[in-house]
Amino acid sequence: SDDSKRQNLVDSFAMKIRSSSGGVDERFSVGEDKKTGADRILDMKIIGEEPQRKVLVSRVYSVNIHPRKDRILVGAGDTKGFFGLMYLDDESRPSLLRMEPHSRTITAIRSNAVETDQMYTTSHDCTLRRLDLTRQEFITIREDAEGDGSTDFNFIEPRVLAYCTSRGYVGVVDTRDKKHPSWENQLHDKKIGSVSVCSKTNTLVTASNDCTVAVFDLRKVNRKSTLASFSHGRAVSNGVISENGQSILTTSYDDTLRIYSTVKGNWKDKPRVYKHDNNTGRWITKFKAEWYPQEPGVFVCGSMKRPHGLDVFDASTTEHSIAGKLMSEYLSAIPARHAFHPEMDVLATGNASGRLCIWTTSRKLAP
């Protein structure tokens, strides 16, 4: 029966995920070359016999690659609440599993290196959930009874999350205590599209539809203690702080990507500005530029220009333009959402038809 086939698939997935080698999947390890981060990204190729895998029912809205290094696990969420899991045990034909943990758009997926068999999702259905990869079960961590949809979240530490909502609130929840958030404050009058955290510098960053990006000290997050606020011409869909806590990358509907920097702990409102078409329209998921974790100052963003691909930027150069465009003959639609593995040479991209592509620089895999 269909039920027994699905259970066999779930059991097979669970067995593969449990059988951790504890080592590193050398197929995707970062090569020891002298190329810049931008050049390494531009060298990436799509892998697999079926380059664009149909993983989800509708438009891809969120993508995440689990940070574990012995297995490549890619999670993706769509606009109907479906979650797809891709496991690269065989790069030519990766294993796929689809679930429906939410009733509305899955707005964000995150995972951390400590919880090797867990992934977290949040949705416009006002819930934040944790997926046990071995049991294929979702557990509700947070649910808002007043209908305030979750838009994003990020880890402060492995089991402590900062989340943001469509009504402008930010809160912190400990996943070991599902009953109450540690705190919740309204930081913006309009929707917050993203929340980003750098625990090294105790910094929290929000991006809002009120056209601002705000910076806070994690130890004292409220409107009266804003460290900095940066105005944009239109709504800001994303604001992500760098791993070292020294730069913030923003994506705005005013058709700019901006980098704000701190000097001796003081944030400067003199950004480096890149002109970029961010008006994706109704049928393409809004762009969110993301840092390349292997090298500071390098970042990527979806592109409205043909041929389809990802625009690659390098802030270490003096040019205020793209360093190049990551393209492939296999791309049939705009890769609006994307995620890097934090330590391996792997990139996942998703498009409006529910398809995922996996990219790597590894010459062991890519043709």
Side-chain angles (χ1 to χ4, degrees):
S1 66
D2 291 341
D3 289 342
S4 62
K5 287 181 180 178
R6 177 171 176 78
Q7 188 58 51
N8 289 338
L9 179 60
V10 169
D11 292 342
S12 174
F13 241 94
M15 186 177 296
K16 291 173 181 177
I17 292 170
R18 286 195 196 99
S19 60
S20 170
S21 65
V24 175
D25 190 335
E26 295 295 342
R27 298 175 301 171
F28 303 102
S29 58
V30 177
E32 296 182 2
D33 56 47
K34 296 182 180 180
K35 292 183 178 180
T36 66
D39 285 340
R40 286 205 301 273
I41 296 172
L42 293 169
D43 277 350
M44 285 185 167
K45 307 293 183 184
I46 297 176
I47 63 174
E49 291 181 359
E50 187 180 345
Q52 292 191 104
R53 297 302 299 262
K54 179 69 173 177
V55 178
L56 294 166
V57 174
S58 64
R59 175 162 50 98
V60 175
Y61 202 91
S62 49
V63 182
N64 176 256
I65 304 179
H66 199 290
R68 61 188 290 177
K69 294 186 286 186
D70 63 324
R71 299 284 187 273
I72 300 299
L73 295 169
V74 182
D78 71 11
T79 55
K80 293 187 181 297
F82 284 90
F83 175 87
L85 186 63
M86 180 185 287
Y87 171 49
L88 271 67
D89 52 342
D90 178 351
E91 67 274 4
S92 61
R93 290 184 176 274
S95 300
L96 302 174
L97 189 66
R98 184 188 298 161
M99 294 160 276
E100 192 177 4
H102 295 280
S103 60
R104 297 184 64 189
T105 299
I106 297 177
T107 53
I109 303 170
R110 308 283 184 195
S111 49
N112 64 76
V114 173
E115 297 177 291
T116 58
D117 58 353
Q118 311 283 324
M119 274 188 165
Y120 292 78
T121 62
T122 195
S123 168
H124 284 155
D125 67 9
C126 308
T127 63
L128 192 158
R129 294 189 166 127
R130 180 178 64 218
L131 167 64
D132 185 319
L133 295 171
T134 58
R135 297 180 180 179
Q136 307 299 320
E137 294 178 351
F138 279 88
I139 301 166
T140 300
I141 301 299
R142 173 189 178 267
E143 186 169 8
D144 191 280
E146 297 181 2
D148 193 4
S150 299
T151 53
D152 194 16
F153 68 98
N154 239 303
F155 290 100
I156 297 174
E157 55 186 74
R159 294 176 178 87
V160 180
L161 309 174
Y163 63 85
C164 59
T165 76
S166 57
R167 294 181 182 173
Y169 284 82
V170 166
V172 168
V173 60
D174 189 325
T175 63
R176 294 160 293 192
D177 179 10
K178 296 182 288 184
K179 294 182 179 179
H180 304 288
S182 300
W183 54 260
E184 185 176 84
N185 292 324
Q186 187 172 21
L187 302 182
H188 296 264
D189 291 327
K190 294 184 178 181
K191 170 185 172 181
I192 300 175
S194 74
V195 60
S196 181
V197 173
C198 180
S199 298
K200 293 178 183 177
T201 56
N202 289 307
T203 307
L204 181 143
V205 178
T206 56
S208 172
N209 280 10
D210 67 6
C211 306
T212 66
V213 167
V215 186
F216 302 88
D217 187 320
L218 258 177
R219 296 162 294 189
K220 188 179 180 182
V221 180
N222 58 64
R223 278 183 158 178
K224 295 180 180 180
S225 61
T226 306
L227 298 178
S229 181
F230 305 124
S231 297
H232 293 63
R234 294 183 65 187
V236 189
S237 60
N238 199 38
V240 56
I241 192 166
S242 59
E243 188 176 348
N244 62 13
Q246 301 303 303
S247 302
I248 297 170
L249 172 63
T250 71
T251 310
S252 172
Y253 284 107
D254 66 5
D255 284 342
T256 64
L257 306 175
R258 308 185 190 194
I259 297 177
Y260 295 87
S261 300
T262 179
V263 178
K264 296 182 179 179
N266 297 313
W267 289 95
K268 302 299 181 182
D269 195 2
K270 293 182 178 180
R272 183 167 187 165
V273 180
Y274 297 82
K275 286 293 183 180
H276 192 266
D277 184 358
N278 299 325
N279 286 277
T280 54
R282 181 178 179 182
W283 305 112
I284 300 171
T285 303
K286 59 188 175 184
F287 291 157
K288 288 190 172 187
E290 297 284 352
W291 295 110
Y292 175 52
Q294 311 295 344
E295 186 170 322
V298 177
F299 61 98
V300 301
C301 188
S303 175
M304 293 296 291
K305 295 181 179 179
R306 288 181 179 272
H308 299 312
L310 285 180
D311 289 334
V312 182
F313 299 83
D314 187 349
S316 67
T317 67
T318 57
E319 298 294 327
H320 284 228
S321 58
I322 67 170
K325 190 170 187 176
L326 178 61
M327 298 178 290
S328 170
E329 62 185 295
Y330 300 117
L331 283 181
S332 60
I334 295 171
R337 283 301 162 90
H338 38 81
F340 288 103
H341 189 286
E343 296 183 59
M344 310 286 278
D345 248 344
V346 184
L347 166 68
T349 60
N351 65 29
S353 62
R355 298 180 185 275
L356 286 184
C357 295
I358 308 300
W359 308 66
T360 181
T361 57
S362 174
R363 296 296 176 257
K364 301 174 185 177
L365 299 176

